[in-house]
Amino acid sequence: MTPPSLENLTTLRAHLDAQKLDGPPPDEPGRDPGGLAAVIDAIALAGKWIAHKIRAARIEDVLGEVGDVNLHGEHQQKLDVLSDRVLLECLRVRRDVAVYASEERDEPVRLSEGGRYTVAVDPLDGSSNVDVAVSVGTIFSVMRNVAPDEPSRSLLQRGSRQVAAGYVLYGSSVCMMITLGNGVDLFVLDPDHGEFVLVQKGLRIPESKAVYSINEAYWNEFGDELRSYLGWAHDNGYAGRYIGSMVADVHRTLLKGGVFLYPAMRKAPEGKLRLLYECNPLAMLVEQAGGSAATGHERILEIEPRELHQRVPVVLGSPAEVDAVLRHFR
Ligand code: AHG
Ligand code: MN
Ligand code: MN
């Protein structure tokens, strides 16, 4: 990781501009500089605001539950709702997002008529951890709006059609991991200047690492294949690491290697994690970094989504480690 220095200080905006992404629509040169760069920039702005809110949460009393449950029947944290609102508003003004979908909203929100992109987000992932100061994150997935007449249909494209994906991790530092389809780049928020600066370009996940990340409390719910893998891992000296925020567990896996699993279980045959705004974006990042991402039976990015909040089992991480799991599923 190359710490930013005066010679190579690259901000997120400069990095995005250098990628020559879509500019404003040719037929509307005066239109705000839309395009993919503006969409990512809007998410980065929302991420800075959310990071600040999380740091100040206990002081500003925005911790704790709203007292309501979302469509998944999960207790909404105040910060879930706040994060969702700021992401929606930051994207609304950029005018190139046709539709916004969120874990916290039953239905998508129509934004700019003629917008070229759709955005699906998990506004605050791992939010049950936020009250105990454990890392949480925002996950985002960007697709092209291929159905201008009915943009919601554009949300239900397979993950391999994503044009960008990533997360903002609110941890000991605020990190932004992004892929635009040609590799993975890591930025860190410089708190003194309020800028995300590039710290690693073309990040590659380690080929293997004897670390697995799973909530073993569900042992009684696991199928025989998974128990067989875990028995093999125990016999082969694997370490366990589980934070309980997917973004934090996947960030560690991308940087250090290993495998993250949220499997199908008897009580949850599709697992817990949502395809469109958790598994697809994180699967794209992991694959772009040289890793693998599967359900146990198929590649995550090839799943044809049926509905917005569809759940899928997920095994992702270092290629050798995902293979070690899948050998027990064959
Ligand atoms: P969210 O807070 O967006 O609902 O996501 C929580 C998810 C994910 O971050 C994490 O991997 C998983 O829940 C942990 O689930 P368990 O507590 O069942 O292990
Ligand atoms: Mn989540
Ligand atoms: Mn969430």
Side-chain angles (χ1 to χ4, degrees):
M1 208 173 293
T2 49
S5 66
L6 281 184
E7 291 69 43
N8 68 357
L9 192 59
T10 304
T11 63
L12 173 62
R13 185 76 241 197
H15 177 78
L16 291 170
D17 291 347
Q19 306 298 312
K20 301 258 179 292
L21 302 171
D22 316 357
D27 53 342
E28 294 182 68
R31 184 166 154 180
D32 81 329
L36 194 49
V39 175
I40 305 290
D41 199 51
I43 294 168
L45 175 61
K48 291 179 200 173
W49 188 92
I50 294 167
H52 172 73
K53 270 296 171 210
I54 287 172
R55 299 265 178 271
R58 186 150 306 275
I59 298 162
E60 292 180 5
D61 188 29
V62 287
L63 284 179
E65 297 181 355
V66 178
D68 200 355
V69 291
N70 61 15
L71 68 134
H72 315 281
E74 293 159 345
H75 290 288
Q76 278 186 314
Q77 306 291 325
K78 290 175 189 166
L79 279 168
D80 280 322
V81 175
L82 275 172
S83 304
D84 173 61
R85 280 202 201 127
V86 74
L87 281 157
L88 175 60
E89 295 317 316
C90 285
L91 288 164
R92 186 195 305 275
V93 298
R94 298 301 176 105
R95 288 186 52 208
D96 221 344
V97 180
V99 63
Y100 169 86
S102 163
E103 177 194 31
E104 302 307 328
R105 292 172 187 265
D106 302 15
E107 298 303 326
V109 179
R110 289 289 293 264
L111 293 179
S112 300
E113 203 54 42
R116 288 176 286 173
Y117 301 100
T118 73
V119 176
V121 298
D122 178 351
L124 204 62
D125 173 68
S127 52
S128 58
N129 276 321
V130 75
D131 283 9
V132 294
V134 168
S135 299
V136 293
T138 296
I139 310 172
F140 64 91
S141 170
V142 186
M143 302 263 197
R144 281 196 185 289
N145 177 20
V146 294
D149 53 326
E150 213 236 293
S152 301
R153 275 195 305 111
S154 299
L155 288 163
L156 297 180
Q157 298 177 71
R158 61 169 57 187
S160 57
R161 308 274 297 165
Q162 293 173 104
V163 291
Y167 55 76
V168 184
L169 175 67
Y170 311 108
S172 49
S173 57
V174 180
C175 302
M176 193 163 184
M177 193 78 84
I178 297 174
T179 180
L180 300 167
N182 54 359
V184 173
D185 300 317
L186 173 59
F187 299 81
V188 171
L189 183 64
D190 173 344
D192 297 332
H193 303 94
E195 287 281 4
F196 279 105
V197 292
L198 181 66
V199 294
Q200 191 158 358
K201 196 165 166 41
L203 180 139
R204 303 296 290 171
I205 191 170
E207 168 65 21
S208 64
K209 175 85 175 179
V211 172
Y212 66 80
S213 183
I214 189 171
N215 187 339
E216 282 194 88
Y218 301 136
W219 177 269
N220 294 341
E221 299 290 328
F222 292 161
D224 295 342
E225 306 92 341
L226 186 56
R227 289 181 177 187
S228 162
Y229 164 72
L230 290 171
W232 174 86
H234 296 157
D235 296 343
N236 285 274
Y238 275 60
R241 290 283 183 280
Y242 194 72
I243 300 166
S245 296
M246 185 181 192
V247 178
D249 281 316
V250 172
H251 188 68
R252 181 200 57 249
T253 303
L254 275 167
L255 268 60
K256 307 277 189 196
V259 61
F260 172 84
L261 307 92
Y262 206 107
M265 292 185 259
R266 290 199 187 90
K267 67 174 182 180
E270 300 297 321
K272 170 183 184 181
L273 301 172
R274 278 59 52 125
L275 175 62
L276 291 194
Y277 42 78
E278 289 173 313
C279 297
N280 266 346
L282 297 178
M284 182 179 183
L285 278 172
V286 167
E287 286 201 2
Q288 284 286 321
S292 320
T295 60
H297 302 287
E298 61 184 313
R299 184 176 167 233
I300 293 275
L301 296 183
E302 282 170 7
I303 298 173
E304 290 296 345
R306 293 185 315 275
E307 58 96 19
L308 202 58
H309 300 288
Q310 173 178 345
R311 299 171 193 267
V312 291
V314 60
V315 183
L316 60 76
S318 299
E321 302 305 335
V322 172
D323 284 349
V325 175
L326 298 186
R327 277 200 296 275
H328 294 263
F329 277 69
R330 281 185 198 115

